Amino acid sequence: MKEQFEPVIVAFCCHYCAYTAADMAGSQRLVYPPNVKIIRVPCSGKVDSIHILKAFEKGADGVYVAGCLDGDCHFKNGNDKASRKVAQMMRYLEEIGIEPERLEMVKMSAGMGERFARIATEMTEKIRKLGPSPIKAAAA
Amino acid sequence: MQNLDRSHTSKPVLVVGGGLGGIRTALDLAEADKNVVLVDTAHNIGGLMTQLDRTFPTNNCDLCTLAPNLSESNRQEHIKLMAMTRVEAVSGEKGNFKVSLKTEPRYINLDKCTGCGECLKAFPECVTFTPGLDHRAPTCMRYPQATPQAYSIDLTRCGDVEALVKCCPTGAINPDDLGSRGDVACSSIVLAPGASLFDPSGLDYLGYSDHVDVVTSLEYERLLSASGPTSGRLLRPSTGEPPKRVAWIQCIGSRGLQRGAAPYCSGACCMFALKEAMVSKERFREDIETTIFYMDMRTFGKDYERYYQRAKNEFGVRFIHSRPHSVLMNEASGGIVLGYTTDDTPKLLSEAFDMVVLSIGFRIGDEMRSLATMLGIDVNDSSFPVHPGLNQVETTRPGIYVAGAFEAPKDIPETMVQASAAACMAGKDVIPLEKEIEEAPALPLERNVVGEQPRVGVFICDCGENIGSVIDVEKLAERVSVFEHVAVAMAAGHGCSRESMEQIRQTIEEQEINRVVIGGCSPRTHEAKFQDLIRKAGLNKYLLEFANIRDQVTWVHSHQPEKAMAKAEDLLKMAVGAVCKAHPLAEHSLPINKNVLVIGGGVAGMTASLELADQGFRVYLVEQSNRLGGIAANLKRTLEGHDVQAFVHNLIERTQSHDSIEVIMGGMIVDHTGMPGMFTTGMQVGRQMFYRQIEHGVTILATGALPNRPNLFGLGTGKQIVTQLDLQTTIHDDPEKVRSWENVVMIQCVGSRTEDNPNCSRICCQNAVKNALHLLDVNPDVRIFVLYRDMRTYAFQEEYYQKARERGVIFVRYQQDQPPQVKLVGDHVEVTYRDIILGRDVKVTADCLCLSTGLIANEDSNEEMARIFKLPRSEDGYFLEDHIKLRPVDLPVPGFFVAGTAHAPKLISESLVQARAVASRAQTILARDAINLGAATAKVDGKLCAACLICVRACPFNVPFINADGYSEIDPAKCHGCGICAAECPAKAIQLMQFEDDMIISKLEQLFEKVEA
């Protein structure tokens, strides 16, 4: 019997909002798939194109950057910068033959534990449908 | 709990009330090196704000901003926090009080409780977590970030005490807890117990007791809140369906209108209702209709008028100027029918709604009333403490101060300002003893680990059942022990307990561990604790990584234990990979220059100078003009009847004669350099423009505002058309003239709340009432017409407004698009206005037309100041504070503070509160010998930098610059540590310390190692 494909998804989470929302999801015991692995950054604007590409290169099936809601960035506009970077990287992924939907920018406030869990679930489902990353498939 | 014996140091300040105000007072005092005992009757600190979903005017989530303050207050060494504690008696006097405290039993040992929630799971009836709609329910740990992070037990509800005790994995439950009683000696007392809310159940016409869909504004807030009973889904309590039409009714229990209502205005409810309506609209858009029934929209705070306009114009919130007279049930539809009338029709109107929100006001509850009685402080008719002079935070008993809603109804920013001001006053009463050199436990020298092979120690907590029930921690440790560079991997039980911490320290020393990974909870809450631990073990604080296997694994994947185990292993592997790349980092610190520069010699500037000078700091007070006193020098008396002239003269005299204050007249700031703690500011002084430089540690801006004189309604065309400021001088100096007048017309909002100047000037409504009452004192026969848009006589000003109405002053509303018409006729002014109720024009021939023109920002000087100091300003030219809610007198540039009307229009007493607040905030910097700037700052590798300017443009705080050597330089003292420059730098010449690229990439490599294999 073929096992269900379990994607590995990297979530870069801003310390002030999304990472706190993840803690909030925890304290509310909201269930989401274990496929999502969080890397904490001080601000979503700190996430570098290199980090995103490296994640895909190493074998991530999906990546998302989670920052604060519009206007709530602790550092004024780091989340806008992250949004722009992610949009740009999505175009780039398409050029090199990776589905751009594997990358996403999401926004939430520190209180939104439920949103964190929902996004983690939706992202996992989406990537599961897309199947393994072409990079991983090529390496195999 | 910390060691309570502080007899060898100066006596602490007692802060009563652990809401936001009390926390601010305690933090300010603690940061200024003074000891505090903070008591609250509740189980956890945080007060009312912890129940709010979002706050105006930013509509931000609250917990995100409040929670760090709460845990901060627990961390502070100077603060002793006593929850579930009340004051029973107070004796003694200023500088030397004796206070008897009684602590109720919690039945839980705070040292042992980890907040795991096992007791709640087993005995939900006696340990309650859910903050339900019914706020009378025992809500013991009301929100997830509670401080202290511990539950509380209601033993009376427990049937099987033995089983309850057994269910606690750490043995923290103690049914024999008897509480405690004790005396505390203190120097001064700050009362910040907040206020209660009006209970509308006695007003049967509102239907609050009969219909579940009629809720109070706080209950509606809980329905919106993510931590509320519906997890943030707005649902009608009756049907569980989302409501389509919601109505707010303002002034419930306030402004003396219903049975049992208070005579004052509660000040915050208009903004509260606007916020709730906007948040509802934000979430449901076209699916919800929001209507606010109001008497006067009182959006008088800084930028609040814009918020009101946004609600109306952008969010489509509907406003009806009316007081509904009935709230009835429609049995057939299950909905609510509001009955009301409006100004422009005699007809009775009715409208159906799904939910009705009652905007309830503040009250002084019985408990607070008896507190005031017990302390022997005088209160007004509504039981709020009275202040003898202009200083709002003083009470009639020296040494006892007040802050927040207990002083008078108010919102959060004003509470925060008062809280700091109270800290300033209370701190002055602390008699500093010879500072005994407290033997801080000597830290071992930091081991130099550079060049060593990584020897990582991994310590994995089971956090009781929290982690241990889902994954086998011993087995996990076994698997982790084979990872590369791991020297030790072991289970640590409750890692944050004292025994485990000691064991970890020993292991680090004995096994020569040079890097540490903690597998457990969130670094947000526990990083500082473990950083201190490894420092004690001789390691640099930054050789630590966290794997958050509780919040991110066992709490959320408990139904998939195998996958949870695998994920925990992954997270630990990532942490090990990252910590191997970690470098020892130095925290940046700077010595502090303890001089103060105050700019502006009005009442705010002088008061701030005096408060700081009295505390022994050297103050330079720079005034641009050649006299002190500012606008207040022209004022005669306040609404309450205080003599402003005498007050200002006294202030000027004390300022000029103070040994520690140097007043610099005719000083113009021209340049500025440096960083907080060591600024240098240059100025040109006097007619000779002689240049002088001052070195100082903090800067206080109290540059004031200007009286507005717009060319509206004929101002300047005839001597019978004057401003309120002119009128009060005439009443005072020329009463004979006033006695000859028959009619006086006042027009409100002249040059305020217009397109050119959209904000409310805040002071004009009370000004009109003040001058009207004064006119009637001098000439009881004069007829006074006040043409207004909304009367904004907030808090106790409302009572003077009522008095003016009772004495025959005629208040007439006008619409912005139908302003009164003004014509000069001989010595008189003919004013024609549209009477909305009569539906026709009314003409008054007045002896005097008085325009309420308010204040405007001093554009020229503020622009210059903002340029020199790199400070942001609001759209209308006032200085913009760092955080409108939580840091209302701190400016975004560290070391800068703002007080008085340079911040926004305000009354003298409000300026004085701000002046004392900045004095308190300034002391939090000045009390230190050095500023610790942390280690997470960006660093440029000059060899890689191509000086492309991308970082210069990307930095949100304008920190990077190209230095003389031709590469980008980032001043660690100014860097906020966001890392945006590092991400944007195309040459990868910038690294953010503590989050270096190689650490992040190492995490990725570790995560995918097995995937590749």
Side-chain angles (χ1 to χ4, degrees):
Chain A
M1 194 181 79
K2 200 180 166 220
E3 257 186 55
Q4 191 187 22
F5 162 59
E6 289 298 345
V8 184
I9 296 165
V10 175
F12 291 101
C13 289
C14 144
H15 173 85
Y16 290 92
C17 296
Y19 193 89
T20 312
D23 282 359
M24 193 81 154
S27 51
Q28 295 178 338
R29 312 294 200 273
L30 303 172
V31 170
Y32 59 86
N35 308 56
V36 172
K37 314 288 194 285
I38 293 174
I39 293 182
R40 182 169 68 118
V41 285
C43 173
S44 55
K46 163 80 180 82
V47 179
D48 202 318
S49 319
I50 294 177
H51 304 150
I52 296 173
L53 286 182
K54 204 73 172 175
F56 282 114
E57 181 196 312
K58 292 288 168 192
D61 300 296
V63 173
Y64 64 94
V65 179
C68 303
L69 295 176
D70 286 331
D72 281 3
C73 176
H74 188 81
F75 303 105
K76 295 188 186 174
N77 57 7
N79 52 354
D80 296 343
K81 292 203 162 78
S83 297
R84 280 204 295 276
K85 192 167 292 155
V86 167
Q88 184 195 340
M89 291 310 293
M90 284 168 77
R91 285 194 296 275
Y92 178 74
L93 287 180
E94 195 163 20
E95 277 174 33
I96 62 170
I98 299 176
E99 302 90 329
E101 306 92 275
R102 292 187 185 272
L103 176 62
E104 205 176 314
M105 175 79 203
V106 296
K107 291 176 180 172
M108 65 189 75
S109 84
M112 295 179 169
E114 210 179 342
R115 181 170 161 78
F116 181 88
R118 197 175 63 239
I119 284 174
T121 311
E122 286 169 3
M123 191 73 189
T124 308
E125 284 317 308
K126 184 170 85 176
I127 302 297
R128 209 194 299 275
K129 280 199 193 107
L130 281 173
S133 152
I135 292 191
K136 213 156 54 175
Chain B
M1 277 272 136
Q2 299 129 14
N3 181 13
L4 307 185
D5 180 20
R6 299 188 184 280
S7 52
H8 61 290
T9 63
S10 51
K11 285 192 211 97
V13 175
L14 176 75
V15 178
V16 181
L20 204 59
I23 294 172
R24 181 76 270 155
T25 304
L27 284 175
D28 271 13
L29 285 164
E31 284 174 44
D33 230 7
K34 284 160 184 135
N35 293 327
V36 178
V37 177
L38 175 62
V39 302
D40 194 297
T41 51
H43 301 90
N44 308 100
I45 57 172
L48 179 64
M49 192 182 179
T50 59
Q51 295 178 47
L52 305 183
D53 172 47
R54 276 154 185 264
T55 56
F56 57 80
T58 47
N59 286 7
N60 278 350
C61 154
D62 267 323
L63 281 174
C64 325
T65 38
L66 176 66
N69 277 296
L70 298 181
S71 42
E72 190 182 355
S73 81
N74 215 14
R75 274 213 318 267
Q76 283 284 348
E77 284 172 18
H78 287 288
I79 301 174
K80 181 190 167 197
L81 174 62
M82 299 175 77
M84 303 176 74
T85 300
R86 68 186 70 245
V87 178
E88 291 214 305
V90 172
S91 60
E93 57 196 21
K94 180 163 129 172
N96 194 15
F97 286 108
K98 193 178 103 184
V99 183
S100 306
L101 298 174
K102 178 168 188 257
T103 305
E104 298 298 327
R106 182 188 276 270
Y107 303 112
I108 283 192
N109 183 338
L110 283 178
D111 288 338
K112 290 185 180 166
C113 178
T114 60
C116 70
E118 284 303 315
C119 53
L120 173 64
K121 230 188 285 169
F123 292 88
E125 68 285 356
C126 48
V127 189
T128 313
F129 182 83
T130 321
L133 257 186
D134 180 1
H135 44 84
R136 284 153 298 188
T139 53
C140 302
M141 190 153 146
R142 285 191 311 210
Y143 58 102
Q145 288 100 328
T147 300
Q149 180 89 29
Y151 286 83
S152 167
I153 305 280
D154 182 353
L155 219 52
T156 57
R157 285 162 162 257
C158 183
D160 187 351
V161 176
E162 208 173 306
L164 175 68
V165 171
K166 274 203 191 124
C167 83
C168 177
T170 60
I173 298 176
N174 172 17
D176 302 323
D177 190 351
L178 295 172
S180 62
R181 265 203 164 85
D183 290 346
V184 172
C186 59
S187 310
S188 49
I189 300 172
V190 175
L191 306 175
S196 319
L197 294 169
F198 177 72
D199 176 5
S201 46
L203 300 171
D204 44 10
Y205 78 95
L206 292 172
Y208 176 67
S209 311
D210 304 330
H211 203 300
V212 288
D213 291 338
V214 179
V215 296
T216 67
S217 40
L218 187 63
E219 287 165 347
Y220 191 79
E221 189 79 16
R222 297 304 303 147
L223 287 173
L224 286 174
S225 170
S227 66
T230 51
S231 302
R233 282 172 316 211
L234 176 62
L235 302 172
R236 276 175 77 178
S238 64
T239 60
E241 300 283 317
K244 298 250 181 282
R245 298 179 51 116
V246 182
W248 279 258
I249 307 178
Q250 297 304 104
C251 304
I252 302 297
S254 305
R255 300 186 63 183
L257 285 147
Q258 303 93 354
R259 196 165 10 104
Y264 50 82
C265 159
S266 286
C269 334
C270 281
M271 284 297 283
F272 205 94
L274 283 175
K275 171 195 68 180
E276 291 186 337
M278 282 163 82
V279 169
S280 305
K281 272 295 211 188
E282 220 166 46
R283 293 212 195 146
F284 304 100
R285 311 267 161 194
E286 302 310 316
D287 295 336
I288 197 162
E289 200 185 295
T290 53
T291 307
I292 297 179
F293 290 87
Y294 71 101
M295 296 170 44
D296 295 283
M297 281 312 288
R298 293 191 165 169
T299 47
F300 52 85
K302 184 176 186 174
D303 274 336
Y304 288 1
E305 179 69 15
R306 280 174 194 272
Y307 189 76
Y308 173 29
Q309 295 308 325
R310 229 167 61 220
K312 192 159 34 177
N313 302 327
E314 290 172 33
F315 286 78
V317 177
R318 193 168 145 236
F319 292 88
I320 297 179
H321 181 253
S322 171
R323 296 194 50 80
H325 53 74
S326 62
V327 180
L328 299 171
M329 309 311 131
N330 182 339
E331 299 292 343
S333 70
I336 304 166
V337 178
L338 278 192
Y340 66 98
T341 58
T342 57
D343 296 335
D344 46 6
T345 164
K347 271 193 272 181
L348 288 179
L349 303 171
S350 71
E351 213 173 309
F353 291 95
D354 297 334
M355 280 185 81
V356 169
V357 184
L358 306 177
S359 288
I360 48 171
F362 292 115
R363 267 319 159 81
I364 293 297
D366 292 339
E367 200 173 309
M368 287 168 241
R369 203 167 299 142
S370 46
L371 178 70
T373 312
M374 186 255 295
L375 292 168
I377 56 175
D378 292 351
V379 295
N380 65 14
D381 294 342
S382 305
S383 303
F384 288 87
V386 292
H387 39 93
L390 278 167
N391 186 350
Q392 290 180 352
V393 299
E394 270 179 342
T395 66
T396 50
R397 184 166 176 186
I400 299 186
Y401 307 96
V402 284
F406 183 58
E407 185 271 330
K410 61 176 62 66
D411 62 8
I412 293 170
E414 289 179 22
T415 296
M416 296 299 269
V417 176
Q418 274 197 339
S420 284
C424 168
M425 297 300 297
K428 285 207 299 190
D429 298 337
V430 178
I431 300 149
L433 297 183
E434 281 294 303
K435 205 175 180 180
E436 258 179 58
I437 299 156
E438 280 179 48
E439 281 296 316
L443 288 172
L445 280 179
E446 239 175 63
R447 260 175 57 205
N448 181 9
V449 303
V450 179
E452 283 181 18
Q453 273 296 312
R455 283 180 59 78
V456 182
V458 183
F459 303 94
I460 308 172
C461 307
D462 61 26
C463 203
E465 298 288 292
N466 283 295
I467 296 172
S469 71
V470 180
I471 52 185
D472 182 340
V473 172
E474 296 282 351
K475 204 190 245 169
L476 181 61
E478 216 170 278
R479 290 201 201 165
V480 170
S481 63
V482 302
F483 294 167
E484 197 183 359
H485 299 307
V486 172
V488 179
M490 58 189 265
H494 280 281
C496 55
S497 68
R498 209 164 296 155
E499 308 95 87
S500 296
M501 299 267 286
E502 182 52 29
Q503 202 192 349
I504 293 171
R505 195 183 60 79
Q506 274 180 13
T507 312
I508 293 172
E509 285 172 3
E510 287 165 14
Q511 306 276 333
E512 294 183 344
I513 302 297
N514 57 18
R515 274 133 221 278
V516 176
V517 168
I518 301 292
C521 59
S522 177
R524 284 177 42 253
T525 51
H526 282 69
E527 189 171 54
K529 194 165 190 167
F530 284 99
Q531 279 183 334
D532 289 348
L533 174 70
I534 72 164
R535 180 63 195 84
K536 278 184 202 140
L539 290 177
N540 181 281
K541 276 163 77 164
Y542 295 93
L543 298 171
L544 174 75
E545 269 288 323
F546 259 72
N548 188 349
I549 60 170
R550 186 186 70 179
D551 301 44
Q552 291 172 17
V553 181
T554 55
W555 273 354
V556 287
H557 310 317
S558 55
H559 60 302
Q560 294 170 296
E562 269 173 44
K563 286 184 175 165
M565 183 74 164
K567 181 171 172 184
E569 198 181 332
D570 284 343
L571 295 188
L572 283 162
K573 197 192 268 179
M574 290 161 76
V576 170
V579 85
C580 289
K581 306 278 183 192
H583 308 286
L585 299 175
E587 292 180 336
H588 304 278
S589 71
L590 289 169
I592 303 247
N593 176 316
K594 302 209 175 196
N595 298 339
V596 180
L597 175 64
V598 179
I599 306 171
V603 288
M606 286 191 286
T607 305
S609 301
L610 282 165
E611 293 296 350
L612 286 164
D614 283 348
Q615 292 281 299
F617 299 104
R618 174 98 193 130
V619 179
Y620 299 93
L621 174 60
V622 182
E623 166 59 40
Q624 196 171 358
S625 74
N626 52 14
R627 65 169 185 90
L628 294 172
I631 298 181
N634 303 321
L635 296 179
K636 308 298 180 194
R637 66 179 201 184
T638 64
L639 179 63
E640 295 81 10
H642 296 292
D643 183 344
V644 179
Q645 290 289 302
F647 171 77
V648 173
H649 285 146
N650 176 275
L651 203 58
I652 293 175
E653 205 177 292
R654 278 167 55 216
T655 305
Q656 283 175 331
S657 60
H658 203 293
D659 288 343
S660 299
I661 301 178
E662 185 189 338
V663 180
I664 302 168
M665 290 291 199
M668 274 197 17
I669 308 295
V670 289
D671 59 54
H672 173 82
T673 57
M675 48 190 77
M678 45 192 299
F679 292 124
T680 307
T681 302
M683 61 194 76
Q684 287 177 327
V685 184
R687 248 174 303 181
Q688 287 84 20
M689 304 287 257
F690 145 77
Y691 181 78
R692 171 172 180 189
Q693 275 190 332
I694 284 170
E695 294 191 341
H696 53 107
V698 296
T699 315
I700 293 171
L701 290 184
T703 51
L706 296 175
N708 194 8
R709 284 192 81 88
N711 292 324
L712 293 168
F713 298 106
L715 184 61
T717 60
K719 62 180 178 5
Q720 59 275 56
I721 303 179
V722 299
T723 65
Q724 293 284 3
L725 204 58
D726 304 331
L727 177 64
Q728 62 118 34
T729 310
T730 307
I731 304 172
H732 197 264
D733 296 348
D734 195 359
E736 273 318 305
K737 185 174 176 184
V738 170
R739 282 191 198 108
S740 70
W741 287 349
E742 281 176 30
N743 290 320
V744 173
V745 177
M746 297 181 180
I747 302 178
Q748 299 303 103
C749 301
V750 175
S752 305
R753 302 179 64 195
T754 59
E755 253 173 54
D756 297 342
N757 182 26
N759 272 310
C760 165
S761 280
R762 185 180 180 117
I763 58 169
C764 330
C765 281
Q766 63 90 34
N767 231 332
V769 169
K770 174 177 80 175
N771 285 340
L773 287 170
H774 201 178
L775 274 173
L776 287 170
D777 289 343
V778 176
N779 177 2
D781 298 325
V782 69
R783 285 207 301 169
I784 305 169
F785 298 81
V786 179
L787 310 181
Y788 70 96
R789 287 170 56 196
D790 291 280
M791 279 309 285
R792 295 185 167 173
T793 44
Y794 52 93
F796 302 123
Q797 294 170 10
E798 179 70 13
E799 296 174 43
Y800 293 89
Y801 172 38
Q802 289 305 331
K803 203 185 286 174
R805 295 190 91 114
E806 280 161 24
R807 289 180 64 179
V809 179
I810 298 160
F811 288 87
V812 186
R813 254 177 85 230
Y814 75 88
Q815 307 278 13
Q816 191 180 4
D817 52 3
Q818 283 186 320
Q821 301 301 313
V822 172
K823 202 164 98 190
L824 279 179
V825 179
D827 285 348
H828 291 80
V829 198
E830 213 173 76
V831 182
T832 310
Y833 63 85
R834 181 86 187 162
D835 189 307
I836 302 172
I837 297 172
L838 300 177
R840 60 188 183 88
D841 288 345
V842 175
K843 191 185 287 180
V844 181
T845 304
D847 302 280
C848 173
L849 170 64
C850 178
L851 305 176
S852 290
T853 48
L855 296 173
I856 47 166
N858 188 342
E859 191 54 39
D860 292 345
S861 108
N862 287 8
E863 192 182 352
E864 189 65 4
M865 221 66 87
R867 190 184 55 79
I868 295 171
F869 295 124
K870 295 196 174 61
L871 295 168
R873 293 190 302 153
S874 60
E875 277 176 58
D876 44 359
Y878 293 99
F879 290 106
L880 193 63
E881 59 271 39
D882 188 31
H883 190 291
I884 192 159
K885 223 71 217 168
L886 300 172
R887 290 158 63 81
V889 298
D890 295 50
L891 288 165
V893 178
F896 278 80
F897 304 94
V898 64
T901 50
H903 163 264
K906 57 180 61 68
L907 301 172
I908 292 184
S909 54
E910 293 164 345
S911 286
L912 295 177
V913 172
Q914 270 197 330
R916 294 193 164 90
V918 298
S920 175
R921 301 293 304 144
Q923 286 179 59
T924 63
I925 292 183
L926 298 170
R928 289 179 258 168
D929 295 319
I931 288 192
N932 183 355
L933 302 163
T937 54
K939 212 163 148 183
V940 183
D941 183 345
K943 290 195 291 295
L944 295 176
C945 175
C948 68
L949 296 179
I950 285 179
C951 56
V952 176
R953 294 194 191 105
C955 176
F957 305 96
N958 301 322
V959 179
F961 64 96
I962 305 300
N963 65 13
D965 297 331
Y967 64 82
S968 165
E969 187 173 322
I970 293 172
D971 184 344
K974 291 184 181 153
C975 178
H976 290 231
C978 62
I980 292 173
C981 56
E984 303 276 327
C985 176
K988 295 297 126 208
I990 308 178
Q991 288 295 332
L992 179 68
M993 296 300 108
Q994 224 190 326
F995 293 94
E996 288 102 319
D997 286 332
D998 58 351
M999 291 176 75
I1000 291 177
I1001 288 171
S1002 175
K1003 281 187 183 178
L1004 292 168
E1005 281 170 349
Q1006 293 301 323
L1007 173 61
F1008 293 108
E1009 201 187 30
K1010 67 167 182 246
V1011 181
E1012 279 179 4

